[in-house]
Amino acid sequence: MSVIDKYTLKPALAETFGGIIWKIEIDGNSPIVAIESRNVAERQSFYSAFNYATGQTLFKEITVENSWFWSIDRVHDGIVFLHSYVHESQPEHKGIIALDSTGEVKWQSFNVTLYDISTEGIIVYNPKIQPRTLEMRAFEDGAPIPYKTGNYQPVARNITLPNIVEKPDHLQNLLPDTLTGPVFYTQFKNKDIVAFHSKAGNFYRQQLVVYQDGKVVLEDILARDIQKLNPEAFFIEREQLFYIRNNKQEFVSYLV
């Protein structure tokens, strides 16, 4: 029996990747999560998308030409938008590749940059033109949409991140004496969700625990035998708990 099987919550998703998980983006309009993973040794990026409500794999570890220079930007209605860069050594974005729900290239444009996602279309600009002028493009094909972009309505995003705190008073007797460093903590509905590090010999171990009425409903190990404390733990959106485990190669989500 695995650690997870002993507890109440069951995973909506549990996916392992060949490379390191680099970026996660949640669809603001549907229960889709997009994941970018990278093989650093071979300088390749891969893109995946899943429906976390049903557990369906939409596509997994597909790639594009010169993938190392492309990264996930946003997701909307199952369309995954990638961006490249004006220069390899600088963070400014340029270019858009739109992947459909099967991972096929739906459309692409190399002269504009994605600025925001609105309810009517994507907001873009040409990075070569100053001052910056925003315009709207269609989700489906990237065609221009006549619209006053100064009045566009952005798609709402409601992400809950944990607070970084000392050991919460009401959990004093539940957390281990070997706890090291701060605790990542949030309350969601009637659950206490915590992630923390503990000393394990000369290394650290990072764990996540979900308590309900003082009882453990989920306990998981995020990382073993690490040399320094991880700065990231988990986040919640649309009543889903998301986190990474297993040397940053496995993505997990739970309905909480």
Side-chain angles (χ1 to χ4, degrees), residues 93-201:
H93 298 175
K94 179 186 177 182
I96 300 172
I97 294 178
L99 303 176
D100 67 16
S101 59
T102 69
E104 294 293 323
V105 175
K106 194 174 184 68
W107 59 269
Q108 53 192 354
S109 176
F110 301 110
N111 298 318
V112 296
T113 297
L114 195 155
Y115 177 78
D116 202 355
I117 301 286
S118 80
T119 54
E120 299 86 359
I122 65 170
I123 309 301
V124 305
Y125 65 92
N126 187 331
K128 292 184 177 180
I129 297 177
Q130 297 295 331
R132 180 181 295 175
T133 302
L134 300 180
E135 60 179 290
M136 184 176 290
R137 298 287 182 95
F139 294 116
E140 292 300 314
D141 57 10
I145 298 176
Y147 193 80
K148 293 182 179 180
T149 53
N151 298 322
Y152 77 86
Q153 182 65 42
V155 173
R157 308 178 79 184
N158 187 21
I159 299 174
T160 300
L161 297 173
N163 296 309
I164 301 177
V165 300
E166 298 298 326
K167 187 185 295 187
D169 291 340
H170 65 295
L171 299 179
Q172 288 284 340
N173 297 326
L174 299 177
L175 298 179
D177 294 335
T178 54
L179 186 148
T180 301
V183 174
F184 299 86
Y185 170 75
T186 192
Q187 278 190 326
F188 189 79
K189 293 186 174 180
N190 59 343
K191 298 178 180 68
D192 293 297
I193 304 174
V194 294
F196 55 87
H197 296 83
S198 56
K199 195 72 174 175

Side-chain angles (χ1 to χ4, degrees), residues 11-83:
L13 283 175
E15 295 286 341
T16 301
F17 299 89
I20 295 172
I21 295 173
W22 202 264
K23 191 173 184 180
I24 300 168
E25 281 289 332
I26 305 296
D27 192 323
N29 209 44
S30 59
I32 305 298
V33 58
I35 298 172
E36 176 184 338
S37 53
R38 293 197 165 209
N39 183 320
V40 177
E42 297 183 6
R43 289 174 64 84
Q44 278 192 297
S45 300
F46 301 90
Y47 317 102
S48 306
F50 308 91
N51 184 315
Y52 55 80
T54 65
Q56 177 189 7
T57 298
L58 302 180
F59 56 88
K60 186 171 181 180
E61 295 179 304
I62 64 100
T63 191
V64 297
E65 188 176 354
N66 296 319
S67 64
W68 187 253
F69 304 106
W70 288 89
S71 184
I72 290 176
D73 197 320
R74 295 285 296 274
V75 190
H76 183 79
D77 274 350
I79 302 175
V80 178
F81 296 98
L82 310 180
H83 70 256

